[in-house]
Amino acid sequence: MTTAFFHASLHRARRTVFAAALAASLAALSGHAMADDFLELAKTKVAAATAPKTKWDGPTTGPKAAADKTIVFVASDMRNGGVLGVSKGVEEATKVIGWKVRVLDGQGTVQGRTAAFNQAMALKPAGILLGGFDAKEQATSVKKAAEAKIPVVGWHAAKESGAVDGLFFNVTTNAQDVAEIAALYAVAKSEGKAGVVVFTDSAYAVAIAKSNAMAEVIKKCGGCTLLGVEDTPLADTSTRMPQLTTSLIQRHGAKWTYSLGINDLYFDFMGPTLQSAGGMAKNLQNLSGGDGSESAYQRIRSKRFQAGTVPEPLSLHGWQMVDEINRALGSQPPSGYSTPVHLVTAENIANDGGPNNSFDPGNGYRDAYKRIWGK
């Protein structure tokens, strides 16, 4: 090997090493830039979701109130705080619009809901409202109502809002948006370094959709770690969560900094375990993508064992359900309105109904519906 050839080979090797190092550096810089961009996006979206809800962004036109109607609200289970809250919104709205409403309790079982739906049909109402259960479960009854020209409006009766599964309209906040904002809060507050466990319940399609959305957000965060997705039934949280929490602390230790649940119920039973564990466990940040229970509000206000929740505006949704029935009776299409997400934290809990442990937007929705109905 000549000296010239040796030096040329050495030069090429050095250029190759330099090029590889440069490419790695550029990739790292690009990765950091992308991570920074995602973190800024998370902070921007969180800021929008936590802002006070002062402007009405729903419908402003529609049919005047139909006269002297009776509707029936078929509840999945009146022990459920969300269903109860929506039913109260319906009762409030029907008084304003000049109608009557009957509330029938499905008592938490398929058989109970079937019996309540059959009873609702026997009353021959102007419309039927489904509160908190899947319309597909009662597909036969929904079809019979359609054949009898009785419009059916749901609340949380399908995975998405809209005219789906035989419903005139399903009233809900977009489940994907709800899940994403909870996860984005973890990204934003941790400065892109959250170690996350997600809690879900595979018995519900909407729960799986939410937990999948949460997991995808965490995966997009370059500095975050998805420690796991725990599938545990909502109905068994009181018995399962204490032991599961202990197991997760032992498994993940200080790496576990944030929890994301598809419902506040998971965090109702974690407090004593976290308290006794001490250390990092006491500082664990829990966030719920859905519900907004009274106990969640209390935990957030006291800054103990829950950092945030994404609640539904239960009363507003009750008013919207009545409005959608009125549109159906007026032979008009549904409003198409889906309420935007709202994230409750300790910083904004004094706004939008927070002092009453509920999300009741200060956007004038009652007056807006009164104007539409001519009341």
Side-chain angles (χ1 to χ4, degrees), residues 12-56:
R12 284 195 298 272
R14 285 173 174 169
R15 281 193 303 173
T16 301
V17 171
F18 174 77
L22 178 61
S25 297
L26 289 174
L29 287 171
S30 175
H32 284 307
M34 290 176 64
D36 289 343
D37 288 345
F38 188 72
L39 179 58
E40 287 306 309
L41 174 66
K43 290 181 176 180
T44 299
K45 286 195 171 185
V46 167
T50 53
K53 299 297 182 282
T54 57
K55 294 183 179 179
W56 174 239

Side-chain angles (χ1 to χ4, degrees), residues 274-295:
L274 296 176
Q275 182 69 38
S276 61
M280 73 86 193
K282 290 177 67 175
N283 298 317
L284 181 68
Q285 301 291 297
N286 295 322
L287 295 144
S288 170
D291 199 8
S293 66
E294 182 174 345
S295 59

Side-chain angles (χ1 to χ4, degrees), residues 77-356:
D77 187 343
M78 288 296 283
R79 294 169 295 185
N80 181 300
V83 175
L84 176 62
V86 173
S87 72
K88 289 185 179 299
V90 169
E91 290 174 341
E92 182 183 48
T94 51
K95 287 180 181 178
V96 171
I97 201 171
W99 297 354
K100 296 177 182 177
V101 61
R102 285 279 303 274
V103 177
L104 303 177
D105 188 359
Q107 300 181 336
T109 67
V110 175
Q111 294 86 350
R113 291 189 286 270
T114 300
F117 206 131
N118 289 339
Q119 185 180 351
M121 289 290 291
L123 293 171
K124 298 181 179 179
I128 295 174
L129 311 180
L130 306 185
F133 62 95
D134 198 331
K136 289 181 179 178
E137 174 196 288
Q138 300 292 327
T140 300
S141 296
V142 171
K143 184 178 179 181
K144 287 180 179 177
E147 291 170 349
K149 301 191 182 307
I150 300 173
V152 180
V153 169
W155 177 77
H156 287 205
K159 288 193 295 184
E160 62 278 331
S161 66
V164 294
D165 298 339
L167 301 171
F168 179 77
F169 196 78
N170 181 50
V171 176
T172 184
T173 303
N174 185 281
Q176 184 95 359
D177 293 344
V178 167
E180 286 181 351
I181 200 63
L184 287 171
Y185 181 85
V187 172
K189 295 299 286 187
S190 70
E191 293 294 331
K193 299 174 184 177
V196 179
V197 172
V198 177
F199 295 101
T200 191
D201 184 347
S202 60
Y204 301 96
V206 66
I208 293 299
K210 283 184 178 182
S211 57
N212 286 344
M214 290 172 174
E216 285 305 309
V217 168
I218 301 305
K219 289 176 183 177
K220 289 177 183 177
C221 172
C224 299
T225 304
L226 180 63
L227 298 173
V229 178
E230 299 292 331
D231 182 6
T232 188
L234 285 167
D236 297 337
T237 50
S238 62
T239 55
R240 292 174 63 101
M241 286 307 296
Q243 183 178 351
L244 179 57
T245 302
T246 298
S247 175
L248 291 169
I249 292 172
Q250 294 171 346
R251 191 186 317 164
H252 301 302
K255 294 179 181 178
W256 183 21
T257 57
Y258 284 81
S259 303
L260 299 174
I262 54 90
N263 190 285
D264 291 311
L265 200 57
Y266 290 110
F267 308 131
D268 283 355
F269 305 100
M270 289 179 70
T273 304
L274 296 176
Q275 182 69 38
S276 61
M280 73 86 193
K282 290 177 67 175
N283 298 317
L284 181 68
Q285 301 291 297
N286 295 322
L287 295 144
S288 170
D291 199 8
S293 66
E294 182 174 345
S295 59
Y297 269 82
Q298 292 171 346
R299 286 191 293 271
I300 293 166
R301 185 179 293 106
S302 63
K303 299 182 181 180
R304 288 177 59 81
F305 310 124
Q306 189 159 349
T309 187
V310 186
E312 292 281 56
L314 303 178
S315 180
L316 188 162
H317 280 173
W319 280 68
Q320 184 183 350
M321 293 180 86
V322 172
D323 181 65
E324 301 297 354
I325 288 289
N326 191 54
R327 290 170 188 273
L329 297 177
S331 300
Q332 291 198 18
S335 70
Y337 181 52
S338 179
T339 47
V341 291
H342 180 62
L343 173 63
V344 173
T345 67
E347 287 73 26
N348 71 350
I349 199 168
N351 303 323
D352 294 308
N356 296 320

